[in-house]
Every structure is written in structure tokens, then in C-alpha cells.
Amino acid sequence: MKISAQKEFYGTFAIPGDKSITHRAIMFNAAAKGVAVVTNALLGEDCLSTIRCMRALGAQISVSDNKIFIQGSPCFHDADCDCGNSGTTMRLLMGLVSGRNVRVTFTGDSSLSSRPMERVAAPLRSLGADVRTTDGKAPVRIVPASLVGKEVCTHVASAQVKSAILLAGLGAEGETRVIEPLKSRDHTERMLSAMGADIRVEGNAVSIRKGELHCVNVDVPADISSAAYFMALGALCGETLCKNVGINPTRTGILKVFDAMNVRYCLENEHSVCGEPVADIRVFRSEISPVHLTREIMPSLIDEIPVIAVLCAFSRGESLIEGAEELRVKESDRIASTAEMINSLGGECVSREDGFIIRGKGTLRGGSVPSYCDHRIAMSGAVALTASEFGGEINGAECVNISFPGFYTLLNGNGGTVC
């Protein structure tokens, strides 16, 4: 995929629905009593994997345009679930099916099969679940077992780990309590509460009791992780407006980074949808300053780190990103792949065990970069090439369909309108 350099970049963009919320809206409604409609759903490959898995477990799901129609099935079937490339699908479902008297095998593609699953399996076992990984990875097998709630302290601030434990807690006797070192994104807590779960949040701790869910309609806000690419282009090249973006406070770390980098932006049309705060985000061309990011902010922007690193490469001065070792276990090793991407385009990025040192030169030359079969590396590379001096090419660019079908159409000006 060839990407042309664009010294001026303007537009208003309708960003696809939030992937994290779409996953949960499908999964939780499919496991609940009743019927539901999910609108503005993201129908990328990862969320389609969740639909396939929930159908295999017994739910009736149909799709029309960007709407998903769900007939819930609280009683699951034994099933073989192919999660494709979706870690969210596998990790959350490991918790959801535990304690439900079913035998389920979870498989995935080669990328997903290389990612760690013991970080979810171990806390589930502490509740009594019978979870069998393959050398700590997929395939993962769940067999019938009785669950008893307890307090679980997680070692990482991970919404996937937390969510899996809470979903298992729905089928466990007594109370299940999850305590995180830092608060991770809270879409699971918000949606479970809306669906009737007995759930309580106290700082970094969340407690849940056994119970059933009841279907609710969900209108999915736009994904700030996907909007981040066009927000970055606004800061680098002109002015962009991303419409109806979810601004859940556990997801808006990138706005705090914008403040630290002196990126000019404003929130417009702030409102609430299904308990999730939403706004239009307008970003203006800015003189970008280097930044120092630490572990405390990582749970609120871990998916945006590659594109933030690109912004650092366009600053003038040295940026340090640390406490981001979670990037090592994503679709690619995003510490290594982000550093290699920036360096191949003429920047200077030194990888560390938990992050990067980026020495910003105010520009990137351009060139050819591999995607590493990682959608966020491909889209970050596209931003870098668009804002670069000469543009270039992304190899394996099609992997963006995992989270953002139509990304290149918007990038090439066929989907945005002038601000």
C-alpha cells in the first residue's frame, strides 16, 4: 500500500464504533436473557470472531449494515471457538464460560496462539475453574467446574484480565473481588451494571456477585483508539474533527499526552450514550513538544502508544516512554516493531525493555515499512508516511481490517469532509 506525503491534511471523520465496547455488547447480550440491538457496531475481523464464538455457544445473532441483532442464550453449548486474531475474544470468554457446565476449546491464528493466556487462566483457577492452556498459550480448554468467589489481586492493570475474572464471578458462589495495581478501562463494569449485574466499584477494586444478565440495546460510540490516527494527523498537518468519540476517562490518556505535548485540541458537543461519555474531538496543527510518559498513564492509552511514538518522532527533542512492557505481548512486539518502523523512516528510536527513547528531529524522511501483521503498527506507519517528507509504502497493510475497515479510504480523502 503506497502512502503519499500530504503537507496539508484537513477533514471531518466518522470513526468506526469502539472495538472494546462492541466486543462486550455482543458477548454480554449473547449470554443474557432477552433480545438486543447493537448499533454503530464495529464489524472488523476481531468483533466478527466474537460473533462466531457466541453463535457456537448457542446465541442467535444476525448482522445488517452496522447493526447486530442478538437473541441471548444464558445456557451455553459445548463448543469449539475459533477466536481468529482476537485476544479480547479469547480472554474474556475464558472467564464467561468458566463455571457454566460446558466444555469449550478456544483456538486462534498463529499470532493469537503465541500470546500468553496464563495471566487469565491462573486467576480463574483460583476461583475453582478448570482451565487448561497449552504451554501457557492457546489452544485453551475449559471443562465443567464449580466456582467460589474470592479476592483476586492482579499483577497487571489489564481490562482483559479484570473482565475475565468478573465474568467468571457471575457464575461463582459468593462475592468475587478484583483489585488492580492501576485502574484499567471500565467498559465491562459499566455495561454489566446496565445489564443488571450486582457489581460495585471502589477505586481500583471491583466486586461482583453471582447473577443473570438482561439484554440491553447498545449504541456504540466511536473508538478513541481509532480516532487517534486522525487526531495525530490534525496535530501534524492541519485540522481534523473526529465525530462522536467515546471519552470514557479510563480511555483518554491520549488527551493528557496532547496536553503535555502542547497539542491544541478542543472537545465539542459533549453528551452521554448508554452511560458512556461522548464528544467530537477537534485537533489543530501544533508545535509538538517531547514528552516523558510513565507506567501510571499506560492503562488509559496502551493501544495508542505506537502513534504517540510517531508524534514524538516529529517533535524536537528527546522523549521517554517507560512502563509499557505490556506492548511486548500484543499482535506484534510493539516495542520492537514501533522502534523499527520509526527508524526505517529516518527517525531515531531506541527500544528499551519497557518502552522507548525517541529523539525527535521535527520530521521523518519516509520509506518502506512492514506492518508486522499488526493493525496498530500499520495505521501508525500510515500516519508517519502521510506527514513525512516523501511518503512511502506499507507492506502487509491489509491487517488494518482487524479494527478499522475503511481506514485507507478515509486517509486518502474519500471518506472525510472538509472541516
Side-chain angles (χ1 to χ4, degrees), residues 238-265:
E239 180 182 336
T240 56
L241 178 66
C242 296
K243 301 285 288 184
N244 297 313
V245 179
I247 54 168
N248 181 307
T250 63
R251 296 285 301 280
T252 51
I254 190 169
L255 297 182
K256 295 177 182 178
V257 173
F258 277 8
D259 292 335
M261 300 183 86
N262 295 316
V263 172
R264 296 186 299 128
Y265 71 94

mmCIF file of all heavy atoms in Angstrom, residues 238-265:
data_model
loop_
_atom_site.group_PDB
_atom_site.id
_atom_site.type_symbol
_atom_site.label_atom_id
_atom_site.label_comp_id
_atom_site.label_asym_id
_atom_site.label_seq_id
_atom_site.Cartn_x
_atom_site.Cartn_y
_atom_site.Cartn_z
ATOM 1 N N GLY A 238 -2.614 19.873 9.906
ATOM 2 C CA GLY A 238 -3.691 20.805 9.587
ATOM 3 C C GLY A 238 -4.740 20.915 10.663
ATOM 4 O O GLY A 238 -4.527 21.481 11.736
ATOM 5 N N GLU A 239 -5.915 20.316 10.391
ATOM 6 C CA GLU A 239 -7.016 20.332 11.356
ATOM 7 C C GLU A 239 -7.955 19.169 11.058
ATOM 8 O O GLU A 239 -8.356 18.962 9.906
ATOM 9 C CB GLU A 239 -7.801 21.646 11.274
ATOM 10 C CG GLU A 239 -8.961 21.745 12.256
ATOM 11 C CD GLU A 239 -9.751 23.034 12.110
ATOM 12 O OE1 GLU A 239 -9.186 24.029 11.598
ATOM 13 O OE2 GLU A 239 -10.935 23.050 12.490
ATOM 14 N N THR A 240 -8.297 18.400 12.083
ATOM 15 C CA THR A 240 -9.230 17.293 11.917
ATOM 16 C C THR A 240 -10.300 17.344 12.995
ATOM 17 O O THR A 240 -10.065 17.819 14.109
ATOM 18 C CB THR A 240 -8.502 15.932 11.990
ATOM 19 O OG1 THR A 240 -7.787 15.837 13.228
ATOM 20 C CG2 THR A 240 -7.540 15.754 10.830
ATOM 21 N N LEU A 241 -11.479 16.822 12.646
ATOM 22 C CA LEU A 241 -12.589 16.710 13.582
ATOM 23 C C LEU A 241 -13.099 15.277 13.536
ATOM 24 O O LEU A 241 -13.561 14.804 12.493
ATOM 25 C CB LEU A 241 -13.718 17.680 13.212
ATOM 26 C CG LEU A 241 -14.967 17.632 14.102
ATOM 27 C CD1 LEU A 241 -14.652 18.092 15.522
ATOM 28 C CD2 LEU A 241 -16.091 18.488 13.501
ATOM 29 N N CYS A 242 -12.993 14.564 14.649
ATOM 30 C CA CYS A 242 -13.488 13.191 14.752
ATOM 31 C C CYS A 242 -14.800 13.221 15.518
ATOM 32 O O CYS A 242 -14.863 13.740 16.646
ATOM 33 C CB CYS A 242 -12.464 12.296 15.449
ATOM 34 S SG CYS A 242 -10.923 12.120 14.535
ATOM 35 N N LYS A 243 -15.849 12.656 14.944
ATOM 36 C CA LYS A 243 -17.201 12.802 15.463
ATOM 37 C C LYS A 243 -17.570 11.672 16.427
ATOM 38 O O LYS A 243 -17.201 10.516 16.228
ATOM 39 C CB LYS A 243 -18.210 12.795 14.300
ATOM 40 C CG LYS A 243 -17.984 13.899 13.268
ATOM 41 C CD LYS A 243 -18.427 15.252 13.795
ATOM 42 C CE LYS A 243 -19.934 15.365 13.872
ATOM 43 N NZ LYS A 243 -20.371 16.702 14.301
ATOM 44 N N ASN A 244 -18.331 12.047 17.470
ATOM 45 C CA ASN A 244 -18.974 11.077 18.381
ATOM 46 C C ASN A 244 -17.990 10.064 18.958
ATOM 47 O O ASN A 244 -18.230 8.859 18.949
ATOM 48 C CB ASN A 244 -20.108 10.340 17.655
ATOM 49 C CG ASN A 244 -21.209 11.280 17.218
ATOM 50 O OD1 ASN A 244 -21.667 12.106 17.995
ATOM 51 N ND2 ASN A 244 -21.627 11.168 15.957
ATOM 52 N N VAL A 245 -16.882 10.560 19.483
ATOM 53 C CA VAL A 245 -15.826 9.698 20.016
ATOM 54 C C VAL A 245 -16.078 9.441 21.506
ATOM 55 O O VAL A 245 -16.377 10.366 22.270
ATOM 56 C CB VAL A 245 -14.445 10.350 19.825
ATOM 57 C CG1 VAL A 245 -13.352 9.459 20.393
ATOM 58 C CG2 VAL A 245 -14.203 10.638 18.345
ATOM 59 N N GLY A 246 -15.935 8.196 21.925
ATOM 60 C CA GLY A 246 -16.044 7.873 23.343
ATOM 61 C C GLY A 246 -14.907 8.503 24.124
ATOM 62 O O GLY A 246 -13.738 8.352 23.762
ATOM 63 N N ILE A 247 -15.243 9.218 25.208
ATOM 64 C CA ILE A 247 -14.220 9.863 26.041
ATOM 65 C C ILE A 247 -14.324 9.346 27.476
ATOM 66 O O ILE A 247 -14.178 10.100 28.443
ATOM 67 C CB ILE A 247 -14.300 11.400 25.976
ATOM 68 C CG1 ILE A 247 -15.714 11.898 26.317
ATOM 69 C CG2 ILE A 247 -13.868 11.907 24.604
ATOM 70 C CD1 ILE A 247 -15.777 13.407 26.554
ATOM 71 N N ASN A 248 -14.571 8.049 27.597
ATOM 72 C CA ASN A 248 -14.529 7.400 28.905
ATOM 73 C C ASN A 248 -13.206 7.770 29.583
ATOM 74 O O ASN A 248 -12.144 7.645 28.976
ATOM 75 C CB ASN A 248 -14.628 5.884 28.697
ATOM 76 C CG ASN A 248 -14.627 5.088 29.978
ATOM 77 O OD1 ASN A 248 -13.749 5.253 30.808
ATOM 78 N ND2 ASN A 248 -15.593 4.203 30.122
ATOM 79 N N PRO A 249 -13.239 8.248 30.829
ATOM 80 C CA PRO A 249 -11.996 8.710 31.466
ATOM 81 C C PRO A 249 -10.918 7.651 31.613
ATOM 82 O O PRO A 249 -9.752 7.994 31.781
ATOM 83 C CB PRO A 249 -12.464 9.230 32.832
ATOM 84 C CG PRO A 249 -13.848 8.729 33.017
ATOM 85 C CD PRO A 249 -14.420 8.506 31.662
ATOM 86 N N THR A 250 -11.281 6.357 31.523
ATOM 87 C CA THR A 250 -10.246 5.322 31.568
ATOM 88 C C THR A 250 -9.608 5.100 30.201
ATOM 89 O O THR A 250 -8.716 4.258 30.065
ATOM 90 C CB THR A 250 -10.822 3.983 32.080
ATOM 91 O OG1 THR A 250 -11.831 3.504 31.171
ATOM 92 C CG2 THR A 250 -11.424 4.135 33.464
ATOM 93 N N ARG A 251 -10.035 5.874 29.188
ATOM 94 C CA ARG A 251 -9.512 5.703 27.832
ATOM 95 C C ARG A 251 -8.867 6.969 27.271
ATOM 96 O O ARG A 251 -8.402 6.958 26.129
ATOM 97 C CB ARG A 251 -10.654 5.291 26.884
ATOM 98 C CG ARG A 251 -11.299 3.951 27.179
ATOM 99 C CD ARG A 251 -10.429 2.793 26.763
ATOM 100 N NE ARG A 251 -10.107 2.814 25.341
ATOM 101 C CZ ARG A 251 -10.919 2.396 24.373
ATOM 102 N NH1 ARG A 251 -12.122 1.930 24.673
ATOM 103 N NH2 ARG A 251 -10.545 2.437 23.121
ATOM 104 N N THR A 252 -8.870 8.078 28.020
ATOM 105 C CA THR A 252 -8.480 9.359 27.432
ATOM 106 C C THR A 252 -7.068 9.781 27.790
ATOM 107 O O THR A 252 -6.745 10.974 27.816
ATOM 108 C CB THR A 252 -9.476 10.465 27.849
ATOM 109 O OG1 THR A 252 -9.630 10.447 29.279
ATOM 110 C CG2 THR A 252 -10.823 10.255 27.185
ATOM 111 N N GLY A 253 -6.199 8.814 28.030
ATOM 112 C CA GLY A 253 -4.804 9.147 28.291
ATOM 113 C C GLY A 253 -4.175 9.938 27.159
ATOM 114 O O GLY A 253 -3.307 10.789 27.386
ATOM 115 N N ILE A 254 -4.621 9.691 25.915
ATOM 116 C CA ILE A 254 -4.016 10.415 24.788
ATOM 117 C C ILE A 254 -4.282 11.911 24.887
ATOM 118 O O ILE A 254 -3.457 12.731 24.466
ATOM 119 C CB ILE A 254 -4.495 9.847 23.435
ATOM 120 C CG1 ILE A 254 -3.655 10.453 22.299
ATOM 121 C CG2 ILE A 254 -5.993 10.070 23.221
ATOM 122 C CD1 ILE A 254 -3.852 9.801 20.962
ATOM 123 N N LEU A 255 -5.406 12.309 25.472
ATOM 124 C CA LEU A 255 -5.673 13.737 25.634
ATOM 125 C C LEU A 255 -4.734 14.338 26.677
ATOM 126 O O LEU A 255 -4.299 15.496 26.542
ATOM 127 C CB LEU A 255 -7.134 13.964 26.015
ATOM 128 C CG LEU A 255 -8.172 13.511 24.975
ATOM 129 C CD1 LEU A 255 -9.575 13.830 25.450
ATOM 130 C CD2 LEU A 255 -7.900 14.162 23.615
ATOM 131 N N LYS A 256 -4.407 13.582 27.714
ATOM 132 C CA LYS A 256 -3.418 14.052 28.685
ATOM 133 C C LYS A 256 -2.049 14.189 28.027
ATOM 134 O O LYS A 256 -1.282 15.118 28.317
ATOM 135 C CB LYS A 256 -3.360 13.101 29.869
ATOM 136 C CG LYS A 256 -4.645 13.048 30.686
ATOM 137 C CD LYS A 256 -4.542 12.033 31.817
ATOM 138 C CE LYS A 256 -5.847 11.955 32.593
ATOM 139 N NZ LYS A 256 -5.804 10.931 33.677
ATOM 140 N N VAL A 257 -1.733 13.256 27.131
ATOM 141 C CA VAL A 257 -0.469 13.348 26.390
ATOM 142 C C VAL A 257 -0.478 14.570 25.486
ATOM 143 O O VAL A 257 0.519 15.293 25.377
ATOM 144 C CB VAL A 257 -0.218 12.060 25.586
ATOM 145 C CG1 VAL A 257 0.991 12.221 24.680
ATOM 146 C CG2 VAL A 257 -0.017 10.880 26.526
ATOM 147 N N PHE A 258 -1.612 14.832 24.820
ATOM 148 C CA PHE A 258 -1.725 16.039 23.995
ATOM 149 C C PHE A 258 -1.442 17.286 24.836
ATOM 150 O O PHE A 258 -0.741 18.200 24.391
ATOM 151 C CB PHE A 258 -3.114 16.130 23.376
ATOM 152 C CG PHE A 258 -3.293 15.329 22.107
ATOM 153 C CD1 PHE A 258 -2.324 14.450 21.663
ATOM 154 C CD2 PHE A 258 -4.439 15.472 21.348
ATOM 155 C CE1 PHE A 258 -2.480 13.719 20.499
ATOM 156 C CE2 PHE A 258 -4.622 14.755 20.173
ATOM 157 C CZ PHE A 258 -3.639 13.880 19.751
ATOM 158 N N ASP A 259 -1.986 17.328 26.042
ATOM 159 C CA ASP A 259 -1.723 18.478 26.918
ATOM 160 C C ASP A 259 -0.222 18.613 27.183
ATOM 161 O O ASP A 259 0.332 19.714 27.112
ATOM 162 C CB ASP A 259 -2.467 18.307 28.246
ATOM 163 C CG ASP A 259 -3.980 18.401 28.102
ATOM 164 O OD1 ASP A 259 -4.442 19.042 27.145
ATOM 165 O OD2 ASP A 259 -4.688 17.838 28.959
ATOM 166 N N ALA A 260 0.432 17.489 27.476
ATOM 167 C CA ALA A 260 1.860 17.520 27.795
ATOM 168 C C ALA A 260 2.707 17.877 26.572
ATOM 169 O O ALA A 260 3.793 18.462 26.707
ATOM 170 C CB ALA A 260 2.304 16.170 28.353
ATOM 171 N N MET A 261 2.211 17.540 25.362
ATOM 172 C CA MET A 261 2.968 17.795 24.131
ATOM 173 C C MET A 261 2.596 19.131 23.490
ATOM 174 O O MET A 261 3.058 19.442 22.390
ATOM 175 C CB MET A 261 2.738 16.660 23.130
ATOM 176 C CG MET A 261 3.174 15.299 23.629
ATOM 177 S SD MET A 261 2.977 13.984 22.389
ATOM 178 C CE MET A 261 4.547 14.139 21.512
ATOM 179 N N ASN A 262 1.719 19.895 24.161
ATOM 180 C CA ASN A 262 1.263 21.196 23.642
ATOM 181 C C ASN A 262 0.492 21.069 22.336
ATOM 182 O O ASN A 262 0.514 21.978 21.493
ATOM 183 C CB ASN A 262 2.443 22.168 23.472
ATOM 184 C CG ASN A 262 3.085 22.520 24.801
ATOM 185 O OD1 ASN A 262 2.382 22.782 25.780
ATOM 186 N ND2 ASN A 262 4.410 22.512 24.849
ATOM 187 N N VAL A 263 -0.191 19.936 22.158
ATOM 188 C CA VAL A 263 -1.074 19.765 21.004
ATOM 189 C C VAL A 263 -2.379 20.509 21.284
ATOM 190 O O VAL A 263 -3.005 20.349 22.345
ATOM 191 C CB VAL A 263 -1.363 18.273 20.744
ATOM 192 C CG1 VAL A 263 -2.441 18.110 19.671
ATOM 193 C CG2 VAL A 263 -0.088 17.560 20.324
ATOM 194 N N ARG A 264 -2.796 21.326 20.340
ATOM 195 C CA ARG A 264 -4.014 22.125 20.514
ATOM 196 C C ARG A 264 -5.231 21.297 20.067
ATOM 197 O O ARG A 264 -5.261 20.772 18.958
ATOM 198 C CB ARG A 264 -3.930 23.409 19.691
ATOM 199 C CG ARG A 264 -2.804 24.341 20.145
ATOM 200 C CD ARG A 264 -2.843 25.660 19.406
ATOM 201 N NE ARG A 264 -2.681 25.475 17.965
ATOM 202 C CZ ARG A 264 -3.500 25.970 17.041
ATOM 203 N NH1 ARG A 264 -4.572 26.660 17.395
ATOM 204 N NH2 ARG A 264 -3.261 25.770 15.758
ATOM 205 N N TYR A 265 -6.216 21.194 20.957
ATOM 206 C CA TYR A 265 -7.434 20.453 20.636
ATOM 207 C C TYR A 265 -8.579 21.013 21.485
ATOM 208 O O TYR A 265 -8.357 21.743 22.467
ATOM 209 C CB TYR A 265 -7.266 18.960 20.922
ATOM 210 C CG TYR A 265 -7.202 18.617 22.393
ATOM 211 C CD1 TYR A 265 -8.354 18.252 23.098
ATOM 212 C CD2 TYR A 265 -6.002 18.672 23.098
ATOM 213 C CE1 TYR A 265 -8.298 17.957 24.458
ATOM 214 C CE2 TYR A 265 -5.945 18.376 24.446
ATOM 215 C CZ TYR A 265 -7.095 18.019 25.115
ATOM 216 O OH TYR A 265 -7.049 17.737 26.457
#
